[in-house]
Amino acid sequence: MNATPSHQALQPEFRLLVFLVSIGFFMQGLDTTIVNTAIPAMAVNLGEDPLQMHSVVVAYVLSVAACIPLSGWLADRFGVRNTYFSAIVIFTLASLGCGLANSLNELLVYRVIQGIGGALLLPIGRLAMLKVIPRTQFLSAMSLMSLAGLMGPLIGPTLGGWMVEVATWHWIFLINIPMGLLGCLITVKAMPNVTEPTVKSFDFSGFILLVIAMVGVSMGIEKFSSPHQSLWWSTGLITAGLMAAAIYAYHAHSHQNALFRSKLFSNQIYAIGIVGNFFARLGGNAMPFLIPLMLQVAFGFEPFITGLLMIPTVLGSLASKPVIRQIIQRYGYRNVLLVNTLLVGACIASFALTTADTPIWLRALHFFIFGMLNSLQFVSMNTLTLKDLPQQDASSGNSFLSMIMMVSMSIGVALAGTLVNVFTAYYGADHITTAFHSTLIFLGCINIITACIFSRIPRNTPV
């Protein structure tokens, strides 16, 4: 059967470019998840408390969130090939630094640099395909690239657990080096250096305000339970972050060249979607960090077994993809998000019922169900948020959503780590399982309360 003009098979001359972008997507997806199962082993090697190691995840995710607004401007100003090549070099060299790190502080510095490179990989790779590949073949290209994005989270936790057992945690970063070198070679060959003839000046003042807001709130929450920092220091960071966010809100309203203009939020559906995305992702995005930590620190599971147990979550996510569209079309965004937000919250809280003796088959089924519900939640929220944006706001609206998703992940992981430490201090070190259970119930309740946000979705919202 011949392909229709609206959806043609990908031509051979574009396959190398898609393969290149897939490498970047895979590296970023892998690095976001591979660390989670290795954290306890990293803590032992570095002489740190495993419950204080959430900064390794937060540092990477936060730097990704902070640099997302830079990606489009850099690509337009210096060209997609130059920027993408630089991103791979930064990411690869930072991975080498992470692999050679001998202290937590040294590792955190390289994780921040790695996040800067990671922040540019996916947006600029997608932008390159958008500028080079004809629209009739773009869907085929995106479908092929998305497979690489799914493979990273699928194998990341298991690969991380396996490498910790057969080698050392350093290799979870060092495996990026051959992929990075291959990516550099293909970038020179396959990616044209497309630039824009006119580029607006970058909103550096707005960018700095956003960075202060994100870093202040995330780091303030993360340092809240740190034995090395006072409560006043954490409170000051959070206050500075919130003040910077408030100043940026005024800046976005008054500055003509602001990164994200305030008029975006005049769209009611977009505003609800952004706020809902932020709060609904706090619990869901913290689970890939919190569950492996609980399985190893509280239940005594080996890293490799922990990684294997994470696979049903990704399989559940994949299994839900074919039916999400039909569910939304049948029940509408409001009903789906109201009910599913409650279900996700209840599912997160229900992990507090598990113990070290929970049967493996029941645990795997539990993870599978969570993966399905979480995938339905994320896809529904994202689609709702972007569906009514006018064309002229689509780019900035999508970038702001991407930034909010990463900020929510950063704050979610920081909050989960802080809660575990607070509850451990309250119950005592001998009741570490109770501390994890209390954290899960708390995060589940946040998700359940978030349903109130989605109740604001108009009942007649079209699908």
Side-chain angles (χ1 to χ4, degrees):
M1 182 181 292
N2 293 329
T4 61
S6 59
H7 177 30
Q8 296 177 2
L10 192 64
Q11 297 300 311
E13 63 264 30
F14 301 121
R15 289 175 186 169
L16 192 59
L17 174 61
V18 174
F19 177 67
L20 169 64
V21 177
S22 298
I23 290 176
F25 197 9
F26 175 79
M27 290 170 67
Q28 189 198 48
L30 183 70
D31 232 69
T32 305
T33 57
I34 197 172
V35 173
N36 294 327
T37 47
I39 282 179
M42 294 166 67
V44 171
N45 182 262
L46 296 173
E48 300 285 343
D49 182 354
L51 301 184
Q52 298 289 342
M53 289 288 288
H54 48 281
S55 56
V56 175
V57 179
V58 173
Y60 177 79
V61 176
L62 192 56
S63 59
V64 170
C67 292
I68 283 176
L70 269 173
S71 59
W73 184 85
L74 288 173
D76 290 343
R77 176 68 176 80
F78 300 104
V80 290
R81 183 180 63 202
N82 292 342
T83 310
Y84 194 81
F85 183 86
S86 301
I88 291 184
V89 170
I90 291 170
F91 189 90
T92 305
L93 291 178
S95 297
L96 176 62
C98 289
L100 299 177
N102 293 313
S103 69
L104 178 59
N105 288 336
E106 190 179 346
L107 177 61
L108 292 178
V109 169
Y110 286 116
R111 283 290 277 174
V112 169
I113 299 172
Q114 192 183 39
I116 294 171
L120 305 179
L121 285 176
L122 180 57
I124 293 178
R126 193 161 44 199
L127 182 64
M129 294 200 309
L130 191 62
K131 291 188 174 187
V132 173
I133 298 175
R135 291 293 186 273
T136 54
Q137 300 174 47
F138 189 68
L139 180 59
S140 297
M142 287 295 291
S143 299
L144 288 173
M145 188 196 74
S146 65
L147 291 176
L150 293 172
M151 288 301 295
L154 180 62
I155 69 172
T158 307
L159 182 61
W162 178 76
M163 297 193 88
V164 164
E165 291 192 17
V166 302
T168 66
W169 63 265
H170 304 83
W171 285 96
I172 67 175
F173 298 110
L174 296 177
I175 60 170
N176 287 327
I177 295 174
M179 289 188 291
L181 293 174
L182 177 63
C184 288
L185 293 174
I186 301 177
T187 301
V188 175
K189 179 177 177 60
M191 185 176 284
N193 195 42
V194 182
T195 58
E196 290 295 324
T198 56
V199 182
K200 294 189 295 184
S201 59
F202 186 70
D203 178 21
F204 279 106
S205 56
F207 175 70
I208 296 300
L209 285 171
L210 284 175
V211 171
I212 294 173
M214 290 185 279
V215 172
V217 175
S218 295
M219 296 298 291
I221 293 173
E222 186 207 341
K223 298 297 183 184
F224 186 81
S225 62
S226 173
H228 309 296
Q229 303 290 345
S230 69
L231 182 61
W232 287 108
W233 173 247
S234 299
T235 304
L237 283 172
I238 295 173
T239 303
L242 294 176
M243 288 178 61
I247 295 171
Y248 182 81
Y250 175 77
H251 175 85
H253 182 71
S254 59
H255 196 282
Q256 193 65 31
N257 202 29
L259 285 169
F260 307 108
R261 296 298 309 279
S262 61
K263 67 176 184 178
L264 276 173
F265 295 93
S266 62
N267 184 314
Q268 181 191 14
I269 296 297
Y270 182 80
I272 292 172
I274 288 293
V275 177
N277 255 286
F278 177 79
F279 286 102
R281 287 177 178 272
L282 291 175
N285 281 334
M287 297 303 283
F289 158 79
L290 188 62
I291 292 297
L293 194 63
M294 181 176 73
L295 291 176
Q296 294 180 76
V297 175
F299 296 168
F301 281 54
E302 295 297 324
F304 181 60
I305 299 299
T306 300
L308 287 175
L309 286 172
M310 294 296 99
I311 292 178
T313 304
V314 182
L315 295 179
S317 175
L318 293 174
S320 69
K321 299 295 185 188
V323 299
I324 291 176
R325 184 177 178 183
Q326 291 92 319
I327 292 174
I328 295 174
Q329 286 179 334
R330 179 167 182 177
Y331 298 105
Y333 285 107
R334 188 178 189 275
N335 292 333
V336 168
L337 284 170
L338 270 175
V339 174
N340 199 71
T341 303
L342 296 173
L343 291 175
V344 171
C347 192
I348 291 173
S350 68
F351 281 110
L353 300 175
T354 63
T355 66
D357 299 323
T358 300
I360 293 294
W361 69 267
L362 182 58
R363 200 185 299 277
L365 179 62
H366 201 169
F367 289 148
F368 183 84
I369 293 171
F370 173 73
M372 291 188 70
L373 293 174
N374 218 32
S375 178
L376 176 58
Q377 183 79 13
F378 289 170
V379 173
S380 301
M381 291 190 302
N382 293 351
T383 310
L384 172 77
T385 305
L386 299 175
K387 75 182 193 68
D388 287 340
L389 277 184
Q391 186 63 36
Q392 65 269 24
D393 294 332
S395 178
S396 61
N398 184 53
S399 294
F400 189 76
L401 173 61
S402 299
M403 187 185 74
I404 287 295
M405 288 161 57
M406 299 306 292
V407 171
S408 180
M409 182 186 296
S410 170
I411 293 177
V413 172
L415 179 62
T418 296
L419 288 171
V420 171
N421 282 285
V422 168
F423 285 125
T424 300
Y426 179 77
Y427 293 116
D430 295 336
H431 296 86
I432 187 71
T433 299
T434 306
F436 275 101
H437 286 171
S438 299
T439 301
L440 288 163
I441 293 171
F442 191 99
L443 292 174
C445 289
I446 290 178
N447 223 85
I448 290 171
I449 295 171
T450 303
C452 297
I453 297 172
F454 295 119
S455 68
R456 307 280 296 179
I457 301 172
R459 293 181 182 275
N460 58 349
T461 300
V463 175

